[in-house]
Amino acid sequence: MKILITGGAGYIGSHTSTVLHDAGHEIFIYDNLINSNKEVISQLQKITGAKFNFKEGDIRDTNLLTKEIKKNRIEAVIHFAGLKAIGESMEKPLDYFDVNVGGTISLLRAMYANNVNYLVFSSSATVYGQPNYLPIDEKHLKVTTNTYGQTKLQVENILEGVCKRNKSLKKI
């Protein structure tokens, strides 16, 4: 399967890319390199012995995403791209909503334009706030305590709504 990994040059994205490559998938990495380094792509190629397709770009650039998804014949997306610092999110809430929520909407538009219906979204335990019980499960009440968590919960709600209204989008 041809899989787009947004934020694929980051820590979790790069490890996911390696595992999926080893499982026989063709990986395309899309990253703006704000929280990562292009050298990661070279390291992935050294580790696996394979060439990884890479495009530097902003997740909010719907036109570029649409073009790259089409050009690379992407079949599924794993979405890690976004801002991630809890403290910074409280200082720069508009930046976090713009990148994390707006970027996801941009990605969904690009996927829709290319009839890509498979998405894995990397959320965060921060959507649960202070846990009422452990271990936390998906039935746990969601009460965010910071802007970062609010953006992740907002995206979860958007995806839930999109899946309910667009039966071709597969919720995994």
Side-chain angles (χ1 to χ4, degrees), residues 9-130:
Y11 182 78
I12 297 171
S14 62
H15 283 75
T16 302
S17 296
T18 301
V19 170
L20 290 173
H21 169 268
D22 290 348
H25 299 284
E26 187 176 332
I27 305 304
F28 178 76
I29 296 172
Y30 187 91
D31 201 302
N32 66 4
L33 303 176
I34 297 297
N35 292 314
S36 57
N37 187 312
K38 193 171 183 180
E39 181 62 26
V40 169
I41 308 304
S42 300
Q43 293 300 319
L44 287 174
Q45 292 175 171
K46 265 189 211 174
I47 291 167
T48 63
K51 182 182 184 308
F52 280 76
N53 295 317
F54 170 75
K55 180 66 175 184
E56 184 175 350
D58 192 299
I59 193 71
R60 297 167 292 178
D61 188 340
T62 308
N63 290 334
L64 181 59
L65 272 170
T66 302
K67 177 182 151 193
E68 293 300 324
I69 289 171
K70 181 177 184 171
K71 178 175 133 186
N72 291 281
R73 298 188 314 275
I74 298 300
E75 300 169 86
V77 177
I78 299 178
H79 181 32
F80 294 118
L83 299 176
K84 60 183 179 168
I86 291 172
E88 181 184 67
S89 76
M90 302 300 282
E91 297 168 11
K92 301 177 179 180
L94 291 178
D95 290 347
Y96 274 70
F97 280 103
D98 185 34
V99 173
N100 296 357
V101 178
T104 301
I105 292 170
S106 172
L107 174 62
L108 290 170
R109 290 184 191 282
M111 290 173 63
Y112 182 78
N114 285 287
N115 199 33
V116 176
N117 296 311
Y118 295 96
L119 172 68
V120 175
F121 170 63
S122 178
S123 190
S124 170
T126 61
V127 301
Y128 300 108
Q130 291 293 348

